Amino acid sequence: MSIETVNSVNTRQLKDMFLYVGDQVVACKPLLTKIDSAIGDGDHGIGMSVGFTKADENLKANEFTSINDVFKTIGMSMISSMGGASGIIFGTMFVGGIKGLETKVSLDLPLLAGIFNKALEAIKQRGKADLGDKTMIDALQPAVEALEKSAAANESLVEGLRKAEIAALQGVENTKQYIANFGRAKSLGERAIGHQDAGATTVLIIFKSMKEWLEGQENG
Amino acid sequence: MKKIINNPGNVVEEAIEGYMYAYKDSLTKVNNVNGIIRKDLKDKVAIIIGGGSGHEPLFLGFVGEGLADGVAIGNVFAAPTPNTIQDVAKSVDQGKGVLFIYGNYAGDVLNFDMATELLEFEEIQTQTVLVADDVASAPEERKGDRRGIAGDVVVFKIAGAASEKGWSLQEVVRVTQKAADQTFSIGVATAPGSIPGEEEPPFVLGDDEIEIGMGIHGEPGMKRTKLMEADDLTDELLDILLKESKIQTGDEVTVYVNGLGSTTLLELLIVNRRVAQILNKKGIKIYDMDVNSYCTTQEMGGFSITFLKLDDELKDLYDAPADSPYYKKTQKIGEEVK
């Protein structure tokens, strides 16, 4: 695929992409711990590291015949290993979007936008949080909207992810202005202002890493 | 922080292994998950407790007669996973229903709720009572936002006794909810605990600083102040606790003075002395007092005071026998503690 724009990935590539994403999130454990310690209880980085390490293990141990299975394996790895709010919420980010989805063997931008949009709704329903509550939704929702807009404009997968990353980054920045309405930062009130949300930061790392992996394919 | 651990990633599993070596005669490990159940399960409503590790003897220390039938154990300071809760529930259910009791934290609620959904498919009936005793964590009008701290223990005790009497799930839930509604705690932190394997403590307090109302994971409290003498500090905590709980002259309470990890029994006893003095002075009857470190956060310094406001029904359940590795009640204490 050397200099071609990547418009879709197959099951094998999707697995490799999320192995890369997992490595990046695990590598960010100290950063996430630091961010979470400022206003939470400091365990977000540890939890995400546990979850993606388990997902890596399960991805590497299996061959997959559909992208549905790749998403499901990642999500269930998180739900069954992490515990805490993050286990359910980030697990739902991966399993919530494939529920009821017919079996797919390749993933393009409209499908990715659709999966994450459905996941976003599932997360909101489960966690009862919405935009502006200083949670991961503050990064995920703008990222999903960017994916959808980019898909509607017939842009490439990598272009969509570039825009999702920018939107997620803006979302992370926005969390600095919010007081927290969920989780352990809730009791901080105004004192949470000025600090970014750790979960939103993880969402940013996920989109940024997906984009990086795809760019690596284009350049490689 | 000097910690006696091996690989930080294995602390929970290794601690459970050690626990099972010690208590294998009365407890059974649930296969493949971090769950422990009683060996002598009875034909009754099953009580399941759970929460993050790092607070020992909470939660695993309270599985036994007259207490919990099973415990779902999470990673350090993280709620147990849905499949852990599900497998523990399946292991203890006798067809009479399962009651989940745990502290009111977002992560615990999410994981227990997902477990509840999974158990519905297996036709296991579940109910939930949340412990939300920390009066410092939210004002009364947002009582539903309050966190659960050492009050867990007394709520487990009441629920375990009710289920042991063979009551229906509905009745066990009713009295457990009543106990939870009548349980009030206030804490103070003098020093942070640690997350095993992490270099940095989750929060910093100055050498001469304490924080009144701080949560057991370092959640911010009501005010940061200078260290003071035990009696003055206890007075200040009791002022808040009595105001928030509306416990007054003529009421009857059982008291728990709970150490958070590194505060010594010597200190806790000095606090308990003052609690008894003040309650006696105010004409609040003391049914029983328990001075212990049940709900800890590693080497966190500080303590909490918990009141359960009693009525005749709760007294009877409080007095019922209980026997787990870290909580035993063998004889009835009928008279007021002087």
Side-chain angles (χ1 to χ4, degrees), chain A residues 13 39 41 57 75 87 91 134 161 163 171 200-201:
Chain A
Q13 290 169 316
I39 53 169
D41 56 1
E57 248 175 67
K134 205 178 184 97
L161 282 165
K163 290 183 172 161
T201 309

Side-chain angles (χ1 to χ4, degrees), chain A residues 29 33 37-43 46 50 76 78-89 92 95 99 126-128 182-188 191, chain B residues 75-84 105-108 110-111 113-114 117 137 142 144-145 147 195-196 198 201-203 211 217-222 224:
Chain A
K29 179 176 146 184
T33 300
S37 294
I39 53 169
D41 56 1
D43 68 356
I46 299 167
V50 167
M76 289 315 292
M78 289 177 175
I79 290 171
S80 67
S81 69
M82 288 169 66
S86 303
I88 301 284
I89 296 299
T92 302
V95 296
K99 229 174 165 179
R126 209 167 265 293
K128 318 264 189 305
F182 286 88
R184 288 174 189 155
K186 184 168 62 176
S187 46
L188 274 172
R191 279 197 274 168
Chain B
N75 290 333
V76 177
F77 307 142
T81 63
N83 47 308
T84 302
Y105 295 91
D108 292 281
L110 284 166
N111 283 277
D113 281 357
M114 189 179 265
E117 289 169 30
S137 53
R142 288 196 290 114
D145 288 345
R147 299 182 293 258
I195 302 178
E198 296 296 307
F203 62 92
E211 188 160 324
H217 312 90
E219 298 95 334
M222 302 168 104
R224 213 166 253 221

